[in-house]
Amino acid sequence: RTEGPGSSVAEAGDGGYYYTTDTLDDKKTEASAYRVDVSLGVKDIIENGRGRLTFYRQDREAGYAAPGQTTDRDVTQYGGTAEMPLGESFDARVKLDKQIQQDGLETDAGEVNLDYNMTQNWILSSGLRHDKREDNSTFVPQTQEVGKRTDAVVKMKYDSLARWATYGFVQDTVNTTGNRDENRRVGVGGDMRLTERLNLVGEVSEGDLGPAGKIGTEYLYSDKTTLYQNYTLENERSDNGLLARKGNMTSGFRTRYSDSMSVFLEERYSHGDIPTGLTHSTGVDLAVTERLNLEGNLDFGSLKDPQTAAEIDRKTISGSIGYGFDHVKVASGLEYRVDENEQPDTGFTKRTTWLFKNNLKYQIS
């Protein structure tokens, strides 16, 4: 339960040029909130039962002002999952999520998946997913995606029960309404244990929403090349201590061509209560001498606002130079960035940014 407006929250979706401030005006506002999480094993209520059920519900009244949870309208969120073996050959999974904002964005999504273990090697899977977006705001941005979409998928997997497995899948959009994009897709993937030290997982697909792929591995390729994948989930903002819900996954490699030069290539995916999307980054580090270092980077990608679905297209090129004397180190960097931001009327604004960074370090003793 909270009383009063709480602390104000300022958010910028374009890199810090324009801010929206979330503050409750009524200092006497009182509001309550609660959350319930339940997880239940079927064997706890049925002898020899298998499977697990989960459920959650969270309600916040208009005027609730806890850090990171401030809201000026009633918000209800609930959902759950169910995992249940059906006999010896079938496994079923169900998942539901719903969020309701009073006079705001309402979303719900549900899916049902069924696996059939045909033999020890072959597994046939199928799934059906339905989601809906509805914006009941007084002013609805023209960029907003609203309507319903139902997708169906069939997947066949072969497991050699040795060092490799492979699968293929076909996905189709059964129905769409509003301005929702169709999501037809076809793809293949698999995993292989190449050596005792390396397990490789990959997938490639093509569909209405563009090409996609993934690859995962744990391996020190050589004393010069490192492959890596990192995922970070933040639950608190370091600048003001407010609750955050954002994740970043970085996949890439860095290789040292010589004692003086190395290059890297990264894919960065961001999601949560921040602009969501995939960006690409590549760069080179060059040690010209023991004292002189050069670095260049190129970044580009598209992000989408989680509330309005407005897109941000970003392109960045940067370079830096550093030089070390006996007691003094100096470095300078230059970055050029172009952002194209989609507006509520579907138009775009273009902003060009030059950023200069300089650093001086002196070692006294």
Side-chain angles (χ1 to χ4, degrees):
R1 185 169 183 82
T2 67
E3 180 179 352
S7 57
S8 61
V9 178
E11 295 181 345
D14 58 3
Y17 295 109
Y18 296 103
Y19 283 88
T20 58
T21 303
D22 184 7
T23 306
L24 301 176
D25 297 328
D26 190 354
K27 296 183 179 181
K28 297 182 179 180
T29 297
E30 295 185 9
S32 300
Y34 71 87
R35 181 179 176 91
V36 177
D37 287 277
V38 179
S39 180
L40 179 66
V42 177
K43 66 179 180 181
D44 293 334
I45 55 177
I46 301 177
E47 187 177 0
N48 299 324
R50 295 182 298 166
R52 178 166 294 277
L53 307 175
T54 68
F55 173 80
Y56 72 91
R57 182 183 176 95
Q58 176 174 294
D59 275 301
R60 290 175 289 158
E61 289 182 340
Y64 187 69
Q69 296 284 353
T70 300
T71 178
D72 58 357
R73 63 189 70 187
D74 293 339
V75 180
T76 299
Q77 298 168 261
Y78 59 87
T81 65
E83 300 178 6
M84 195 76 63
L86 303 176
E88 298 297 327
S89 301
F90 290 92
D91 295 293
R93 302 181 305 279
V94 179
K95 186 174 185 292
L96 299 171
D97 292 286
K98 187 175 183 67
Q99 175 177 288
I100 304 172
Q101 298 180 11
Q102 183 183 26
D103 299 324
L105 183 64
E106 179 179 335
T107 63
D108 59 64
E111 61 181 72
V112 178
N113 299 280
L114 183 66
D115 297 336
Y116 173 44
N117 301 298
M118 303 171 62
T119 66
Q120 284 188 322
N121 301 96
W122 291 94
I123 301 175
L124 176 64
S125 303
S126 62
L128 190 68
R129 184 181 190 276
H130 176 81
D131 71 87
K132 181 182 73 173
R133 292 175 60 91
E134 182 178 352
D135 197 332
N136 300 312
S137 305
T138 303
F139 171 72
V140 179
Q142 295 185 31
T143 60
Q144 185 64 278
E145 295 180 5
V146 294
K148 303 176 182 178
R149 183 172 71 201
T150 303
D151 298 327
V153 63
V154 176
K155 173 183 173 182
M156 178 69 77
K157 179 178 180 179
Y158 177 79
D159 189 343
S160 68
L161 302 179
R163 287 182 172 267
W164 62 274
T166 185
Y167 63 87
F169 68 90
V170 177
Q171 177 177 297
D172 189 25
T173 297
V174 180
N175 181 57
T176 60
T177 63
N179 63 346
R180 300 296 303 279
D181 293 325
E182 293 190 342
N183 193 21
R184 295 184 296 259
R185 183 166 295 276
V186 59
V188 295
D191 62 87
M192 177 178 293
R193 181 166 295 279
L194 301 180
T195 69
E196 295 300 325
R197 299 169 55 192
L198 172 63
N199 186 48
L200 183 66
V201 179
E203 179 184 295
V204 292
S205 65
E206 177 64 50
D208 293 322
L209 302 183
K214 65 179 181 180
I215 186 170
T217 187
E218 287 185 350
Y219 189 63
L220 179 62
Y221 183 75
S222 69
D223 59 348
K224 292 185 177 182
T225 301
T226 302
L227 308 178
Y228 54 89
Q229 177 165 312
N230 300 299
Y231 179 76
T232 303
L233 181 64
E234 300 181 38
N235 60 3
E236 187 178 53
R237 301 186 188 278
S238 59
D239 56 344
N240 57 21
L242 295 181
L243 181 67
R245 296 172 300 278
K246 58 181 180 179
N248 292 280
M249 176 174 285
T250 301
S251 300
F253 76 90
R254 178 178 291 273
T255 185
R256 181 165 53 89
Y257 277 114
S258 64
D259 292 337
S260 61
M261 185 176 70
S262 63
V263 299
F264 75 91
L265 176 68
E266 289 183 351
E267 297 292 298
R268 303 168 182 167
Y269 178 73
S270 303
H271 71 91
D273 58 357
I274 55 175
T276 299
L278 182 68
T279 56
H280 322 280
S281 180
T282 185
V284 58
D285 299 328
L286 178 63
V288 181
T289 67
E290 291 183 357
R291 296 180 179 270
L292 179 63
N293 292 277
L294 303 176
E295 181 179 343
N297 293 284
L298 176 65
D299 299 86
F300 61 95
S302 297
L303 305 172
K304 180 170 287 191
D305 189 281
Q307 286 289 329
T308 66
E311 290 188 357
I312 303 173
D313 290 325
R314 176 166 294 169
K315 300 178 181 67
T316 303
I317 186 171
S318 63
S320 65
I321 180 173
Y323 192 86
F325 298 91
D326 291 337
H327 297 285
V328 178
K329 294 182 180 180
V330 293
S332 294
L334 174 63
E335 178 180 299
Y336 174 73
R337 186 173 76 186
V338 178
D339 289 329
E340 294 186 7
N341 301 306
E342 191 174 17
Q343 302 301 299
D345 60 359
T346 70
F348 279 85
T349 62
K350 184 176 181 179
R351 180 179 292 273
T352 299
T353 304
W354 291 91
L355 175 66
F356 297 89
K357 297 180 290 185
N358 299 282
N359 178 270
L360 172 65
K361 179 180 179 180
Y362 178 69
Q363 185 169 336
I364 298 175
S365 64

